[in-house]
Amino acid sequence: MITAIVLIHVAAETIPEAAQAIADIKGVTEVYSCAGDVDLIAKVRVAAHEDLADLIPAKISKVPGVLSTDTHIAFRSYSRADTDSAFSIGVEG
């Protein structure tokens, strides 16, 4: 699986609707509204790099209110949840 983090600039008056519309897109696993340089951050998980081309410019960028996107492809995860689950495989607790 390929994970990408998409930073999304949205027209201020459309943030809640745009966030929900993006969250409803297949392949988008999470959407956060946030303070700072961007309005929304979406976590995307797809099977292949080509799927990003179908998802981000063809779907996320077309959501009403979306002004621009900036995509960052993840190479490796360092989250505690991923590490804990990897070490618990086959271990009964």
Side-chain angles (χ1 to χ4, degrees):
M1 281 302 251
I2 296 163
T3 300
I5 306 301
V6 185
L7 310 177
I8 307 166
H9 292 274
V10 180
E13 66 276 6
T14 67
I15 290 173
E17 296 84 7
Q20 188 58 61
I22 293 166
D24 291 340
I25 296 171
K26 183 179 179 185
V28 176
T29 61
E30 300 168 64
V31 177
Y32 299 93
S33 63
C34 53
D37 294 335
V38 297
D39 303 302
L40 300 173
I41 297 175
K43 182 177 173 185
V44 171
R45 297 205 46 155
V46 294
H49 284 97
E50 295 80 19
D51 298 331
L52 291 173
D54 294 332
L55 184 66
I56 297 162
K59 294 183 181 164
I60 292 176
S61 292
K62 303 289 188 213
V63 168
V66 171
L67 303 173
S68 65
T69 62
D70 184 16
T71 303
H72 299 262
I73 298 172
F75 294 127
R76 183 175 294 141
S77 172
Y78 295 95
S79 75
R80 179 181 295 276
D82 290 341
T83 303
D84 289 348
S85 68
F87 283 105
S88 66
I89 296 172
V91 177
E92 294 182 27

